[in-house]
Each structure stands twice: as C-alpha cells, then as structure tokens.
CSV table of all heavy atoms in Angstrom, one decimal:
chain,number,residue,atom,x,y,z
K,421,ALA,N,21.1,151.6,-66.1
K,421,ALA,CA,20.9,150.2,-66.5
K,421,ALA,C,19.8,150.3,-67.5
K,421,ALA,O,18.6,150.6,-67.1
K,421,ALA,CB,20.6,149.4,-65.3
K,422,THR,N,20.0,149.9,-68.7
K,422,THR,CA,19.0,150.0,-69.8
K,422,THR,C,18.9,148.8,-70.7
K,422,THR,O,19.9,148.1,-70.8
K,422,THR,CB,19.3,151.3,-70.6
K,422,THR,OG1,18.3,151.4,-71.7
K,422,THR,CG2,20.7,151.2,-71.2
K,423,GLY,N,17.7,148.7,-71.3
K,423,GLY,CA,17.7,147.7,-72.4
K,423,GLY,C,18.3,148.1,-73.7
K,423,GLY,O,18.4,147.3,-74.6
K,424,ARG,N,18.6,149.4,-73.8
K,424,ARG,CA,19.1,149.9,-75.0
K,424,ARG,C,20.6,149.4,-75.3
K,424,ARG,O,21.3,149.1,-74.3
K,424,ARG,CB,19.2,151.4,-75.0
K,424,ARG,CG,17.9,152.1,-74.9
K,424,ARG,CD,18.1,153.6,-75.2
K,424,ARG,NE,17.0,154.5,-75.0
K,424,ARG,CZ,16.9,155.7,-75.5
K,424,ARG,NH1,17.8,156.2,-76.2
K,424,ARG,NH2,15.8,156.5,-75.2
K,425,ALA,N,20.9,149.4,-76.5
K,425,ALA,CA,22.3,149.2,-76.9
K,425,ALA,C,23.1,150.6,-76.7
K,425,ALA,O,22.4,151.6,-76.7
K,425,ALA,CB,22.4,148.8,-78.4
K,426,MET,N,24.4,150.5,-76.6
K,426,MET,CA,25.1,151.8,-76.3
K,426,MET,C,24.9,152.8,-77.4
K,426,MET,O,24.8,154.0,-77.1
K,426,MET,CB,26.6,151.4,-76.0
K,426,MET,CG,27.5,152.6,-75.9
K,426,MET,SD,26.9,153.9,-74.7
K,426,MET,CE,27.3,153.1,-73.2
K,427,ASN,N,25.0,152.3,-78.6
K,427,ASN,CA,24.9,153.3,-79.7
K,427,ASN,C,23.5,154.0,-79.7
K,427,ASN,O,23.5,155.2,-80.0
K,427,ASN,CB,25.1,152.7,-81.1
K,427,ASN,CG,24.1,151.6,-81.4
K,427,ASN,OD1,23.8,150.7,-80.6
K,427,ASN,ND2,23.5,151.6,-82.6
K,428,TYR,N,22.5,153.3,-79.3
K,428,TYR,CA,21.1,154.0,-79.2
K,428,TYR,C,21.0,154.9,-77.9
K,428,TYR,O,20.5,155.9,-78.0
K,428,TYR,CB,20.1,152.8,-79.2
K,428,TYR,CG,18.7,153.3,-79.2
K,428,TYR,CD1,18.3,154.4,-79.9
K,428,TYR,CD2,17.7,152.5,-78.5
K,428,TYR,CE1,17.0,154.8,-79.9
K,428,TYR,CE2,16.4,153.0,-78.6
K,428,TYR,CZ,16.0,154.1,-79.2
K,428,TYR,OH,14.7,154.5,-79.2
K,429,LEU,N,21.6,154.4,-76.9
K,429,LEU,CA,21.7,155.2,-75.7
K,429,LEU,C,22.5,156.5,-75.9
K,429,LEU,O,22.1,157.6,-75.4
K,429,LEU,CB,22.3,154.4,-74.5
K,429,LEU,CG,22.5,155.2,-73.2
K,429,LEU,CD1,21.2,155.6,-72.6
K,429,LEU,CD2,23.3,154.4,-72.2
K,430,ALA,N,23.6,156.4,-76.6
K,430,ALA,CA,24.5,157.5,-76.8
K,430,ALA,C,23.8,158.7,-77.5
K,430,ALA,O,24.1,159.9,-77.3
K,430,ALA,CB,25.7,157.1,-77.6
K,431,GLU,N,22.8,158.4,-78.3
K,431,GLU,CA,22.0,159.4,-79.0
K,431,GLU,C,21.4,160.4,-78.1
K,431,GLU,O,21.3,161.6,-78.4
K,431,GLU,CB,20.9,158.8,-79.9
K,431,GLU,CG,21.5,157.9,-81.1
K,431,GLU,CD,20.3,157.3,-81.8
K,431,GLU,OE1,19.1,157.7,-81.6
K,431,GLU,OE2,20.6,156.5,-82.7
K,432,ASP,N,21.0,159.9,-76.9
K,432,ASP,CA,20.3,160.8,-75.9
K,432,ASP,C,21.2,161.3,-74.8
K,432,ASP,O,20.7,162.2,-74.0
K,432,ASP,CB,19.1,160.1,-75.4
K,432,ASP,CG,18.0,160.0,-76.4
K,432,ASP,OD1,17.6,161.0,-77.1
K,432,ASP,OD2,17.4,158.8,-76.6
K,433,ILE,N,22.3,160.8,-74.6
K,433,ILE,CA,23.2,161.2,-73.6
K,433,ILE,C,24.4,162.1,-74.1
K,433,ILE,O,25.1,162.7,-73.3
K,433,ILE,CB,23.7,160.1,-72.7
K,433,ILE,CG1,24.6,159.1,-73.4
K,433,ILE,CG2,22.5,159.4,-72.0
K,433,ILE,CD1,25.3,158.1,-72.6
K,434,SER,N,24.6,162.1,-75.4
K,434,SER,CA,25.8,162.7,-75.9
K,434,SER,C,25.7,164.3,-75.7
K,434,SER,O,26.8,164.9,-75.7
K,434,SER,CB,25.9,162.5,-77.4
K,434,SER,OG,24.8,162.9,-78.2
K,435,MET,N,24.5,164.8,-75.6
K,435,MET,CA,24.4,166.3,-75.5
K,435,MET,C,24.2,166.8,-74.1
K,435,MET,O,23.9,168.0,-73.9
K,435,MET,CB,23.3,166.8,-76.4
K,435,MET,CG,23.4,166.4,-77.8
K,435,MET,SD,25.0,167.1,-78.5
K,435,MET,CE,24.6,168.9,-78.5
K,436,ILE,N,24.3,165.8,-73.1
K,436,ILE,CA,24.1,166.2,-71.7
K,436,ILE,C,25.4,165.9,-70.9
K,436,ILE,O,26.2,165.2,-71.3
K,436,ILE,CB,22.9,165.5,-71.1
K,436,ILE,CG1,23.1,164.0,-71.1
K,436,ILE,CG2,21.6,165.8,-71.8
K,436,ILE,CD1,22.1,163.2,-70.3
K,437,ASP,N,25.4,166.6,-69.7
K,437,ASP,CA,26.6,166.4,-68.8
K,437,ASP,C,26.1,165.6,-67.6
K,437,ASP,O,25.6,166.2,-66.7
K,437,ASP,CB,27.2,167.7,-68.4
K,437,ASP,CG,28.3,167.5,-67.5
K,437,ASP,OD1,28.9,166.4,-67.4
K,437,ASP,OD2,28.7,168.5,-66.8
K,438,ILE,N,26.2,164.3,-67.7
K,438,ILE,CA,25.7,163.4,-66.6
K,438,ILE,C,27.0,162.7,-66.0
K,438,ILE,O,27.7,162.1,-66.7
K,438,ILE,CB,24.6,162.4,-67.1
K,438,ILE,CG1,24.1,161.6,-65.9
K,438,ILE,CG2,25.1,161.6,-68.2
K,438,ILE,CD1,22.9,160.8,-66.2
K,439,ASP,N,27.0,162.7,-64.7
K,439,ASP,CA,28.2,162.1,-64.0
K,439,ASP,C,27.9,160.6,-63.7
K,439,ASP,O,27.3,160.3,-62.6
K,439,ASP,CB,28.5,162.8,-62.8
K,439,ASP,CG,29.9,162.5,-62.2
K,439,ASP,OD1,30.4,161.5,-62.6
K,439,ASP,OD2,30.4,163.3,-61.4
K,440,CYS,N,28.0,159.8,-64.7
K,440,CYS,CA,27.6,158.4,-64.6
K,440,CYS,C,28.9,157.5,-64.6
K,440,CYS,O,29.8,157.6,-65.5
K,440,CYS,CB,26.7,158.0,-65.8
K,440,CYS,SG,26.1,156.3,-65.8
K,441,GLU,N,29.0,156.6,-63.7
K,441,GLU,CA,30.2,155.8,-63.5
K,441,GLU,C,30.2,154.5,-64.4
K,441,GLU,O,31.2,154.1,-65.0
K,441,GLU,CB,30.3,155.3,-62.1
K,441,GLU,CG,31.7,154.7,-61.7
K,441,GLU,CD,32.8,155.7,-61.7
K,441,GLU,OE1,32.6,156.9,-61.6
K,441,GLU,OE2,33.9,155.2,-61.9
K,442,TYR,N,29.0,153.9,-64.6
K,442,TYR,CA,28.9,152.8,-65.5
K,442,TYR,C,27.6,152.8,-66.3
K,442,TYR,O,26.6,153.4,-65.8
K,442,TYR,CB,28.9,151.4,-64.7
K,442,TYR,CG,30.1,151.1,-63.9
K,442,TYR,CD1,30.1,151.4,-62.5
K,442,TYR,CD2,31.3,150.7,-64.5
K,442,TYR,CE1,31.2,151.1,-61.8
K,442,TYR,CE2,32.4,150.4,-63.7
K,442,TYR,CZ,32.4,150.6,-62.4
K,442,TYR,OH,33.5,150.4,-61.6
K,443,TYR,N,27.6,152.2,-67.5
K,443,TYR,CA,26.4,152.1,-68.3
K,443,TYR,C,26.2,150.6,-68.5
K,443,TYR,O,27.0,149.9,-69.2
K,443,TYR,CB,26.6,152.8,-69.7
K,443,TYR,CG,27.0,154.3,-69.5
K,443,TYR,CD1,28.3,154.7,-69.5
K,443,TYR,CD2,25.9,155.2,-69.5
K,443,TYR,CE1,28.6,156.0,-69.4
K,443,TYR,CE2,26.2,156.5,-69.4
K,443,TYR,CZ,27.6,157.0,-69.4
K,443,TYR,OH,27.8,158.3,-69.3
K,444,ILE,N,25.2,150.1,-67.9
K,444,ILE,CA,24.7,148.7,-68.1
K,444,ILE,C,23.7,148.7,-69.2
K,444,ILE,O,22.6,149.2,-69.2
K,444,ILE,CB,24.0,148.1,-66.8
K,444,ILE,CG1,25.1,148.2,-65.6
K,444,ILE,CG2,23.5,146.7,-67.1
K,444,ILE,CD1,24.4,147.8,-64.3
K,445,CYS,N,24.1,148.1,-70.4
K,445,CYS,CA,23.3,148.1,-71.6
K,445,CYS,C,22.8,146.7,-71.9
K,445,CYS,O,23.3,145.7,-71.4
K,445,CYS,CB,24.1,148.7,-72.7
K,445,CYS,SG,24.5,150.5,-72.5
K,446,ASN,N,21.9,146.7,-72.9
K,446,ASN,CA,21.3,145.4,-73.3
K,446,ASN,C,20.8,144.6,-72.1
K,446,ASN,O,21.0,143.3,-72.1
K,446,ASN,CB,22.3,144.6,-74.1
K,446,ASN,CG,22.7,145.3,-75.4
K,446,ASN,OD1,22.1,146.3,-75.8
K,446,ASN,ND2,23.8,144.9,-76.1
K,447,ASP,N,20.2,145.2,-71.2
K,447,ASP,CA,19.5,144.5,-70.1
K,447,ASP,C,20.6,143.8,-69.2
K,447,ASP,O,20.2,142.8,-68.5
K,447,ASP,CB,18.4,143.6,-70.5
K,447,ASP,CG,17.2,144.4,-70.9
K,447,ASP,OD1,16.8,145.3,-70.2
K,447,ASP,OD2,16.6,144.0,-72.0
K,448,GLY,N,21.8,144.2,-69.3
K,448,GLY,CA,22.9,143.6,-68.5
K,448,GLY,C,23.8,142.7,-69.3
K,448,GLY,O,24.7,142.1,-68.7
K,449,GLY,N,23.6,142.7,-70.6
K,449,GLY,CA,24.5,141.9,-71.5
K,449,GLY,C,25.9,142.5,-71.6
K,449,GLY,O,26.9,141.8,-71.9
K,450,VAL,N,26.1,143.8,-71.3
K,450,VAL,CA,27.4,144.5,-71.4
K,450,VAL,C,27.4,145.6,-70.5
K,450,VAL,O,26.4,146.3,-70.2
K,450,VAL,CB,27.7,144.9,-72.9
K,450,VAL,CG1,26.6,145.9,-73.3
K,450,VAL,CG2,29.0,145.5,-73.1
K,451,ILE,N,28.6,145.9,-69.9
K,451,ILE,CA,28.8,147.0,-69.0
K,451,ILE,C,29.9,147.9,-69.6
K,451,ILE,O,31.0,147.3,-69.8
K,451,ILE,CB,29.1,146.6,-67.6
K,451,ILE,CG1,28.1,145.6,-67.0
K,451,ILE,CG2,29.3,147.8,-66.7
K,451,ILE,CD1,28.4,145.0,-65.7
K,452,PHE,N,29.7,149.1,-69.7
K,452,PHE,CA,30.7,150.1,-70.1
K,452,PHE,C,31.1,151.0,-68.9
K,452,PHE,O,30.2,151.3,-68.1
K,452,PHE,CB,30.2,151.0,-71.2
K,452,PHE,CG,29.9,150.3,-72.5
K,452,PHE,CD1,28.6,149.8,-72.7
K,452,PHE,CD2,30.8,150.2,-73.5
K,452,PHE,CE1,28.3,149.2,-73.9
K,452,PHE,CE2,30.4,149.6,-74.7
K,452,PHE,CZ,29.2,149.1,-74.9
K,453,ASP,N,32.4,151.4,-68.8
K,453,ASP,CA,32.8,152.3,-67.7
K,453,ASP,C,32.4,153.7,-68.2
K,453,ASP,O,31.9,153.9,-69.3
K,453,ASP,CB,34.2,152.1,-67.3
K,453,ASP,CG,35.2,152.5,-68.4
K,453,ASP,OD1,34.9,153.1,-69.4
K,453,ASP,OD2,36.4,152.1,-68.2
K,454,ARG,N,32.8,154.7,-67.4
K,454,ARG,CA,32.4,156.1,-67.7
K,454,ARG,C,33.2,156.6,-69.0
K,454,ARG,O,32.7,157.5,-69.6
K,454,ARG,CB,32.8,157.0,-66.5
K,454,ARG,CG,34.3,157.1,-66.2
K,454,ARG,CD,34.5,157.9,-64.9
K,454,ARG,NE,34.0,159.2,-65.0
K,454,ARG,CZ,33.0,159.7,-64.3
K,454,ARG,NH1,32.4,159.0,-63.4
K,454,ARG,NH2,32.6,161.0,-64.4
K,455,TYR,N,34.2,155.9,-69.4
K,455,TYR,CA,34.9,156.2,-70.6
K,455,TYR,C,34.5,155.4,-71.8
K,455,TYR,O,35.2,155.4,-72.8
K,455,TYR,CB,36.4,156.1,-70.4
K,455,TYR,CG,36.9,156.9,-69.2
K,455,TYR,CD1,37.3,156.3,-68.0
K,455,TYR,CD2,36.9,158.3,-69.2
K,455,TYR,CE1,37.7,157.0,-66.9
K,455,TYR,CE2,37.3,159.1,-68.0
K,455,TYR,CZ,37.7,158.3,-66.9
K,455,TYR,OH,38.1,159.1,-65.8
K,456,PHE,N,33.5,154.6,-71.6
K,456,PHE,CA,32.9,153.7,-72.6
K,456,PHE,C,33.7,152.5,-73.0
K,456,PHE,O,33.7,152.1,-74.1
K,456,PHE,CB,32.5,154.6,-73.9
K,456,PHE,CG,31.6,155.7,-73.5
K,456,PHE,CD1,32.0,157.0,-73.5
K,456,PHE,CD2,30.3,155.5,-73.2
K,456,PHE,CE1,31.2,158.1,-73.2
K,456,PHE,CE2,29.4,156.5,-72.8
K,456,PHE,CZ,29.9,157.8,-72.8
K,457,ASN,N,34.6,152.1,-72.1
K,457,ASN,CA,35.4,150.9,-72.3
K,457,ASN,C,34.5,149.7,-71.7
K,457,ASN,O,33.8,149.9,-70.7
K,457,ASN,CB,36.7,150.9,-71.5
K,457,ASN,CG,37.6,152.0,-71.9
K,457,ASN,OD1,37.9,152.1,-73.1
K,457,ASN,ND2,38.0,152.9,-70.9
C-alpha cells in the first residue's frame, strides 16, 4: 500500500521477485491485482 503511482512503483519492483497479491497505489485511489489489472 503506497502513495506512489503504479508506474513509479514499477521502477523499483520490476527487477525483484516479490510475491505480492495486490498493489494499493495512490494512497488507496486504485488497486491492482498481482497481474497489474
């Protein structure tokens, strides 16, 4: 759960292998699933 936008978050998670089910971005303004839908 982050204040970052997904494109900004993706810069730092694209090179790691993290088993994350959801990404809550923009302080809760949007939720992406593990496949970024």
Side-chain angles (χ1 to χ4, degrees):
T422 178
R424 294 193 190 198
M426 173 50 78
N427 61 314
Y428 186 34
L429 176 65
E431 294 177 9
D432 288 311
I433 64 171
S434 61
M435 301 302 292
I436 62 170
D437 180 19
I438 182 170
D439 199 342
C440 185
E441 192 68 23
Y442 298 101
Y443 302 92
I444 297 171
C445 294
N446 296 349
D447 287 314
V450 60
I451 305 173
F452 298 87
D453 67 15
R454 65 186 301 114
Y455 305 107
F456 305 107
N457 300 305

